C-alpha cells in the first residue's frame, strides 16, 4: 500500500506543476483553489471507479479484464487507444520539459537534445521489473515532497490573502474545460490499474488511492493558494510558468539563498523523471500484455522513436495550449 501510494504521488506531481496555477486561474480567477479542488474530486472519482472494477478482478490488470468485459476485439481496440494516448502523453511531457530547459536554463542547447536525453533516462529503468519500479518511486518521493512544501511555505511570507477573495472566484466561460484540464494532471494515476494484480493485497488498493491522490491533490492546492496569494489572479494570467516565478520570489530566512528557483528546478526535474517513467512504464506494459509478450524489455527500445516523434511533432505546445 505504501509503495502504491508513493507511485501515485510521484507520478502525479510532474511537468504540469509549472503551469498549473495559470490553468486554475483561467478557470475561476481568485477562486482557483476551489477549481483545483473540483478537478481533484473528478480525478479521484475516476481512479476510484478503476480501483473498484479492478478489485473484482484482483489477478488481472485492466488489459485482461477489459477483454472479458467488452469482448476480445472491442477490448483490444480500447487498450490500443490507451497505449496510443500514453505514447502521446509521454512525448508531450518530455516536450514541455525540453521547452522549459531551453527557455530558462540551457538557451543554446537544441530542444531535441534535452527531450531525447530525458526520454532515454525514462526508458532505461523501464527494462526492470515492477519491484524496481516501486523502489525508484519510493526513493525519490521525499526529494519531491519536502523541498516543494518548503518552497510553498516560505513563499507565503510575501502573500496577500486578499488576492484569494472572493473565495468562489469569477468563473469564466471556459470553467468546465479548465477544471477537466486540472483533472487531467492526475491521469498518470491510471498506472494503478496495471499495478493492482502485483500488490500483495489488491483489496487494499483503495487505501493507496486515497492516500496517493490526497497528498498529490493537497500539494497542488497549496501551490495554487500560494501563487494566487503572492501574485494575484491577473498577474498569473500573464505568466507562462507561475510556479517557477513563485520560487524566484522566495528566499530562505536570513537571505541564505535569495532565490529558490535553482532548488525548485532540481526538484522539478526529479518530478518530471518519475512522471515520464510512470507513463513510459504503463505504455510498454499495456502493449506487452495486449500482444501477449512474455518480456516487455524489447518494447521499451522499440517505442522510443514513436514517443520522440510524438514529442517533436507539435510546432509550439505553449501557444497551441
Amino acid at each position: 500500500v505504501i509503495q502504491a501510494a508513493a507511485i501515485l504521488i510521484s507520478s502525479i506531481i510532474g511537468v504540469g506543476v509549472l503551469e498549473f496555477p495559470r490553468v486554475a486561474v483561467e478557470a475561476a480567477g481568485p477562486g482557483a483553489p476551489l477549481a483545483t479542488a473540483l478537478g481533484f474530486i473528478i480525478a479521484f472519482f475516476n481512479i476510484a471507479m478503476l480501483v473498484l472494477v479492478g478489485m473484482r478482478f484482483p489477478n488481472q490488470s485492466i488489459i485482461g479484464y477489459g477483454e472479458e468485459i467488452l469482448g476480445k476485439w472491442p477490448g483490444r481496440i480500447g487498450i490500443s487507444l490507451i497505449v496510443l494516448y500514453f505514447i502521446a502523453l509521454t512525448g508531450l511531457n518530455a516536450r514541455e520539459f525540453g521547452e522549459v530547459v531551453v527557455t530558462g536554463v540551457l538557451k543554446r542547447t537544441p530542444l531535441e537534445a534535452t527531450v531525447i536525453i530525458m526520454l532515454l533516462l525514462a526508458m532505461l529503468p523501464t527494462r526492470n521489473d515492477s519491484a524496481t519500479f516501486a523502489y525508484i518511486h519510493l526513493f525519490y518521493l521525499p526529494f519531491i515532497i519536502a523541498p516543494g512544501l518548503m518552497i510553498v511555505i516560505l513563499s507565503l511570507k510575501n502573500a496577500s490573502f486578499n488576492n484569494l477573495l472572493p473565495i468562489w472566484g469569477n468563473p469564466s466561460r471556459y470553467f468546465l474545460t479548465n477544471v477537466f484540464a486540472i483533472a487531467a494532471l492526475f491521469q498518470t494515476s491510471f498506472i494503478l490499474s496495471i499495478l493492482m494484480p502485483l500488490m500483495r493485497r489488491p483489496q487494499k488498493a483503495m487505501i493507496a488511492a486515497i492516500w496517493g491522490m490526497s497528498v498529490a491533490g493537497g500539494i497542488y492546492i497549496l501551490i495554487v493558494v500560494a501563487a494566487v496569494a503572492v501574485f494575484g489572479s491577473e498577474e498569473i494570467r500573464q505568466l507562462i510558468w507561475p510556479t517557477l516565478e513563485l520560487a524566484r520570489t522566495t528566499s530562505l530566512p536570513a537571505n541564505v539563498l535569495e532565490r529558490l528557483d535553482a532548488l525548485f528546478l532540481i526538484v522539478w526535474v526529479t518530478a518530471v523523471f518519475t512522471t515520464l517513467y510512470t507513463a513510459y512504464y504503463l505504455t510498454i506494459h499495456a502493449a506487452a500484455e495486449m500482444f501477449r509478450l512474455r518480456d516487455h524489455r524489447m518494447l521499451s527500445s522499440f517505442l522510443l522513436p514513436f514517443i520522440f516523434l510524438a514529442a517533436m511533432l507539435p510546432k509550439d505546445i505553449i501557444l497551441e495550449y
Side-chain angles (χ1 to χ4, degrees):
V1 171
I2 294 174
Q3 289 178 331
I7 290 169
L8 285 180
I9 297 167
S10 58
S11 299
I12 292 170
I13 301 173
V15 64
V17 74
L18 288 188
E19 65 178 359
F20 182 73
R22 176 167 55 84
V23 177
V25 163
E26 288 177 351
L34 281 182
T36 304
L38 182 57
F40 163 74
I41 292 171
I42 294 172
F44 181 78
F45 176 80
N46 290 336
I47 189 63
M49 292 299 101
L50 279 175
V51 170
L52 288 174
V53 175
M55 288 168 64
R56 299 185 62 181
F57 302 90
N59 299 318
Q60 292 179 292
S61 70
I62 190 172
I63 291 85
Y65 65 72
E67 291 185 9
E68 284 192 22
I69 294 173
L70 300 177
K72 181 177 180 180
W73 290 108
R76 289 195 174 187
I77 292 173
I79 297 304
S80 299
L81 293 175
I82 291 174
V83 170
L84 290 174
Y85 173 76
F86 277 97
I87 286 175
L89 177 66
T90 307
L92 291 176
N93 280 340
R95 172 64 180 273
E96 187 165 357
F97 166 79
E99 296 277 4
V100 175
V101 171
V102 300
T103 301
V105 184
L106 306 175
K107 298 183 180 180
R108 296 185 180 181
T109 303
L111 175 64
E112 294 81 2
T114 57
V115 171
I116 194 64
I117 287 173
M118 181 53 78
L119 286 177
L120 284 170
L121 287 174
M123 180 204 74
L124 291 174
T126 59
R127 301 174 64 85
N128 296 309
D129 58 12
S130 58
T132 305
F133 176 76
Y135 290 145
I136 289 175
H137 279 280
L138 194 60
F139 174 79
Y140 281 116
L141 184 62
F143 299 101
I144 295 173
I145 292 182
L149 287 177
M150 181 188 72
I151 291 172
V152 169
I153 293 171
L154 290 175
S155 68
L156 293 177
K157 66 181 181 180
N158 302 319
S160 172
F161 290 98
N162 288 332
N163 291 330
L164 296 169
L165 300 176
I167 296 176
W168 51 87
N170 302 307
S172 68
R173 57 177 179 170
Y174 303 109
F175 177 78
L176 288 178
T177 302
N178 286 57
V179 166
F180 280 108
I182 292 170
L185 290 173
F186 295 82
Q187 58 205 334
T188 44
S189 59
F190 196 86
I191 188 65
L192 198 57
S193 64
I194 301 290
L195 297 179
M196 280 184 65
L198 305 175
M199 295 179 65
R200 291 181 180 177
R201 299 177 180 177
Q203 300 302 322
K204 290 191 175 183
M206 185 63 76
I207 299 175
I210 292 172
W211 276 105
M213 297 289 285
S214 298
V215 172
I219 290 174
Y220 272 121
I221 291 174
L222 286 175
I223 290 173
V224 171
V225 168
V228 176
V230 171
F231 296 118
S233 58
E234 293 304 317
E235 179 65 22
I236 288 178
R237 295 177 195 271
Q238 310 303 319
L239 301 174
I240 298 178
W241 297 303
T243 310
L244 182 57
E245 298 300 328
L246 183 68
R248 284 176 177 165
T249 62
T250 305
S251 61
L252 288 175
N255 288 329
V256 176
L257 281 177
E258 293 184 359
R259 287 170 40 174
L260 294 181
D261 52 328
L263 174 62
F264 175 77
L265 283 175
I266 294 172
V267 175
W268 178 74
V269 169
T270 305
V272 171
F273 165 73
T274 54
T275 302
L276 279 177
Y277 181 28
T278 296
Y280 209 126
Y281 185 88
L282 190 153
T283 302
I284 63 172
H285 274 265
E289 193 169 343
M290 182 177 66
F291 291 116
R292 306 295 192 268
L293 300 177
R294 293 183 179 180
D295 191 353
H296 67 276
R297 289 181 292 182
M298 57 176 269
L299 280 178
S300 62
S301 302
F302 176 76
L303 289 179
L304 181 62
F306 299 99
I307 295 175
F308 180 73
L309 180 63
M312 303 311 301
L313 197 58
K315 294 181 179 180
D316 192 321
I317 59 172
I318 302 298
L319 293 180
E320 288 185 7
Y321 172 82

